[in-house]
Amino acid sequence: MKRGTQNLLLLLIGSAVLWITLDGSYLRYVKPSLYPFLLISSVGFILLAMVAIIRDIRRGTVSDEQAGMHGHSDVRGHINMPRPSDMLDNALGDANVHGSSDVVDRDQFGHGAAQHDHEHGSGRAQWLLLAPVAALLLVAPPALGAGAAVTSSPVQVVPRDIAAEQPKLWAFPPLSAEPSPRLPIVDLVDRALQDSSHSLDSREVTISGFIIRPKDLAQQHPDTPDADLARVVITCCVADARYVLVHLSGMPEVIDDDAWLEVRGVVETGSAQRDPDHTPTLVVTGYQRIEAPDRPYERGR
């Protein structure tokens, strides 16, 4: 890859990372605490690219000046060069001694080598490296939603190898005294399965997430309003993304996948322990459609 292409690629990468960091799009890919690291690294990429570009420009200017000086000295020394006729006679003499076929072969070899070097230097495959950077600048991928659920694993509060056993219980902090406290879905699932103080019993809570309708349910019973409310959970970035789900019971209408809802309801006692995947069931008492939040992911445990 030529230095010009390297510098341009470095500049575009830094610009793309800086762009998604400043406009908040980085939250679709990594956790919020990585903001300062993204900012510093993007500025560093841009500075490195600018230093390399300025250095190459200066080197090119010096090379041009040196080439001009060499050309001038060649003109002044032209009177000492042999005459063209003498050069031709010498070349013909060498050809007679060594054989004309040898001269032709060497000429063909030299021409082939020059053409071979030219073919290697004219490759444009390295420019394809700019395509992902340009795509990130022009069309930023959206946050993970229902469409990616089939390729990700649900959050396992209890490991699968001991899922059949009774999970270990401990007392969770009491819920807020407000009428319908807001909870992250991860916290609700934890409390429903492992809270020895049963803080969710008979308490209305509020959670938010996007709708996921199981494929087999949607195909066999397309008119049923049963669905799951989900959130994507990340520990560091979307590379370790997983899904945490809550079954919704008592929904009055069918809602499409990826629609964001704020749902109020009461967790059905013992539903998490009875479910094979330890997913609790929330009996819905009310809900409303909302816009997707700026921070669509929840933090992993």
Side-chain angles (χ1 to χ4, degrees):
M1 183 184 298
K2 296 182 179 180
R3 287 188 56 84
T5 307
Q6 293 176 358
N7 297 337
L8 180 59
L9 183 61
L10 194 62
L11 181 62
L12 287 179
I13 290 176
S15 301
V17 175
L18 182 62
W19 178 273
I20 65 174
T21 302
L22 294 179
D23 73 354
S25 301
Y26 77 99
L27 293 173
R28 304 174 185 176
Y29 319 115
V30 298
K31 59 184 181 180
S33 60
L34 293 180
Y35 175 86
F37 301 99
L38 291 175
L39 188 62
I40 293 172
S41 61
S42 61
V43 173
F45 276 129
I46 294 174
L47 290 178
L48 286 175
M50 296 304 298
V51 169
I53 291 172
I54 294 173
R55 183 179 58 184
D56 290 345
I57 292 175
R58 288 180 176 177
R59 285 181 176 177
T61 303
V62 173
S63 299
D64 292 341
E65 292 176 353
Q66 292 177 350
M69 294 176 63
H70 284 299
H72 184 62
S73 62
D74 290 342
V75 171
R76 288 186 300 175
H78 178 68
I79 58 175
N80 296 324
M81 294 180 61
R83 293 179 299 172
S85 58
D86 295 337
M87 297 175 63
L88 180 59
D89 292 339
N90 293 335
L92 292 176
D94 292 340
N96 291 330
V97 174
H98 297 288
S100 58
S101 60
D102 183 48
V103 174
V104 173
D105 291 340
R106 282 184 291 174
D107 179 71
Q108 291 177 351
F109 177 79
H111 177 72
Q115 183 178 3
H116 182 72
D117 292 341
H118 177 71
E119 290 175 353
H120 273 288
S122 60
R124 296 181 176 85
Q126 61 267 23
W127 289 99
L128 295 178
L129 295 174
L130 301 178
V133 181
L136 185 60
L137 285 172
L138 299 176
V139 184
L144 296 179
V150 294
T151 62
S152 301
S153 301
V155 171
Q156 295 295 316
V157 178
V158 178
R160 288 188 179 277
D161 56 349
I162 59 172
E165 303 176 5
Q166 181 67 25
K168 183 179 180 180
L169 305 179
W170 66 84
F172 279 64
L175 293 177
S176 172
E178 58 185 296
S180 184
R182 297 177 181 273
L183 291 178
I185 290 184
V186 171
D187 189 19
L188 183 141
V189 173
D190 283 342
R191 288 175 179 270
L193 189 62
Q194 298 178 298
D195 185 11
S196 60
S197 61
H198 302 285
S199 58
L200 292 177
D201 289 356
S202 303
R203 285 295 307 271
E204 185 182 66
V205 295
T206 301
I207 57 176
S208 62
F210 55 89
I211 291 294
I212 289 182
R213 302 190 69 208
K215 287 188 175 181
D216 54 348
L217 182 63
Q219 292 174 356
Q220 298 176 9
H221 306 283
D223 296 331
T224 180
D226 293 343
D228 294 333
L229 196 70
R231 290 295 290 264
V232 176
V233 179
I234 65 173
T235 302
C236 176
C237 61
V238 293
D240 55 42
R242 297 170 295 166
Y243 284 70
V244 57
L245 309 174
V246 173
H247 299 315
L248 299 181
S249 174
M251 291 292 292
E253 62 174 326
V254 176
I255 299 179
D256 295 332
D257 285 352
D258 278 327
W260 278 82
L261 300 180
E262 183 179 82
V263 181
R264 301 186 310 277
V266 179
V267 174
E268 183 180 323
T269 303
S271 58
Q273 287 79 5
R274 294 191 299 268
D275 187 84
D277 293 324
H278 298 294
T279 301
T281 297
L282 186 74
V283 180
V284 178
T285 57
Y287 69 94
Q288 62 178 351
R289 294 176 181 266
I290 59 174
E291 296 291 332
D294 294 333
R295 298 184 177 185
Y297 305 139
E298 291 187 357
R299 290 292 307 277
R301 296 179 292 276

